[in-house]
Amino acid sequence: MVLDYVFIVILGWGTAGAALATSLGFVCAAIYYIVCMICEWHKGNQLTSLSPKHFLPNTAMVHNVVSIGIPGALITVLMSVSNIALNNYIGIYGSNAVAAYGIAYKLDMVPILLSVGLAQGVAPLVGYCNGGNEKKRMSDMVKCTVLYGVLMGTAFTVAFMFFGKPLAAIFLQDTDLIEQTGYFLKILCLSAPMLGIINMMTSYFQALGKAIKSLTITVLRNAALFIPGVIILNYIWKLNGVIAAQPVVETILTGICIFMYVNDVKSGNH
């Protein structure tokens, strides 16, 4: 991401420059990764081998990569689908509503992405503990990560509640838009504490190789619950209902995630 911004500034070619900057960023990241692999190989790291025989895929490898990777890939795809549906309904209420929601959503993405990063960062440790049969340590790790995620989300909720309009004023000059953006942000941020649970449960099931359960959470969050939620709440509360769809759906999904985790624990994984 840092390289993307650097290349955008250097190239300064507008949209074309941004697209090229993204490609150059990926190339540089790939080169850096290859260099790190070579360095580790020369240091004698047995976990890093550049032998051609280790690059040949097998059925088990492909199955594991695809089954675990699909939920992660679908998160991006379904987020786009849900945003299209959401923006279509917000568009009914005018361009100001779309603009206000766009700014509010970008601000709300900060706790969302931090929560995703926290959950994905601990996922390899969960997988390592599960492989090493350290169930108690894995359980403590999951609970600790959920706690930190909830506390972080709560901090952002409080911050957005009190400073929503000043934050919106950074991006906008129109008083009415600032007011509306701050109001939207107050609604959206209600789901921030719950992100610590939802994202951790998604990563937890991915780390354990339980792709179906991870996929279930992803589909429920971004399609099966969210899109009907937008339609129903729009019918009941109009624009307020459309904006409230996210916290309402994620509240329901939090309960589902807790149920899935408790059921998984009782089934004998801990």
Side-chain angles (χ1 to χ4, degrees):
M1 290 298 293
V2 174
L3 285 174
D4 287 354
Y5 290 123
V6 171
F7 284 129
I8 288 172
V9 172
I10 293 174
L11 294 172
W13 293 345
T15 305
L20 180 58
T22 301
S23 299
L24 289 173
F26 280 126
V27 170
C28 291
I31 292 173
Y32 174 74
Y33 176 73
I34 292 170
V35 170
C36 289
M37 289 277 290
I38 293 172
C39 290
E40 288 297 315
W41 180 55
H42 280 295
K43 288 178 183 178
N45 188 336
Q46 295 181 354
L47 297 178
T48 306
S49 174
L50 299 180
S51 173
K53 68 179 181 180
H54 292 131
F55 288 85
L56 297 175
N58 55 59
T59 304
M61 180 194 302
V62 172
H63 177 267
N64 289 333
V65 170
V66 172
S67 62
I68 296 173
I70 284 178
L74 277 179
I75 289 175
T76 304
V77 174
L78 291 178
M79 279 183 67
S80 298
V81 172
S82 62
N83 279 331
I84 291 171
L86 184 63
N87 284 322
N88 283 336
Y89 274 89
I90 295 175
I92 297 172
Y93 302 97
S95 58
N96 281 356
V98 175
Y101 174 77
I103 298 298
Y105 180 72
K106 291 297 183 186
L107 290 168
D108 192 51
M109 281 296 290
V110 175
I112 291 175
L113 294 177
L114 286 174
S115 176
V116 170
L118 180 65
Q120 290 183 347
V122 81
L125 299 176
V126 172
Y128 174 82
C129 290
N130 181 63
N133 202 33
E134 298 183 36
K135 305 301 183 182
K136 176 66 167 60
R137 184 182 178 187
M138 182 175 70
S139 176
D140 292 341
M141 195 178 300
V142 170
K143 292 174 183 176
C144 183
T145 305
V146 166
L147 176 61
Y148 280 126
V150 171
L151 291 176
M152 181 176 66
T154 302
F156 273 100
T157 297
V158 173
F160 288 158
M161 284 287 184
F162 286 98
F163 304 107
K165 287 193 284 187
L167 288 170
I170 298 174
F171 307 96
L172 302 164
Q173 282 78 44
D174 185 274
T175 305
D176 292 337
L177 273 178
I178 292 172
E179 188 75 28
Q180 192 171 30
T181 301
Y183 176 68
F184 286 174
L185 188 57
K186 286 181 180 180
I187 297 175
L188 291 174
C189 74
L190 293 175
S191 63
M194 293 172 278
L195 296 174
I197 298 173
I198 296 171
N199 290 327
M200 185 62 244
M201 290 303 100
T202 303
S203 293
Y204 168 79
F205 288 120
Q206 280 183 321
L208 267 58
K210 300 185 177 183
I212 298 299
K213 292 186 176 181
S214 178
L215 183 60
T216 299
I217 296 173
T218 299
V219 172
L220 286 173
R221 183 181 189 181
N222 295 294
L225 288 178
F226 185 78
I227 294 177
V230 170
I231 297 171
I232 294 169
L233 292 175
N234 173 68
Y235 179 77
I236 298 173
W237 294 324
K238 305 301 180 183
L239 179 58
N240 287 340
V242 176
I243 305 301
Q246 178 179 311
V248 169
V249 166
E250 292 191 344
T251 299
I252 296 171
L253 186 58
T254 297
I256 295 173
C257 286
I258 292 173
F259 173 79
M260 290 174 66
Y261 177 72
V262 171
N263 187 60
D264 188 72
V265 172
K266 287 182 178 179
S267 68
N269 280 306
H270 289 209

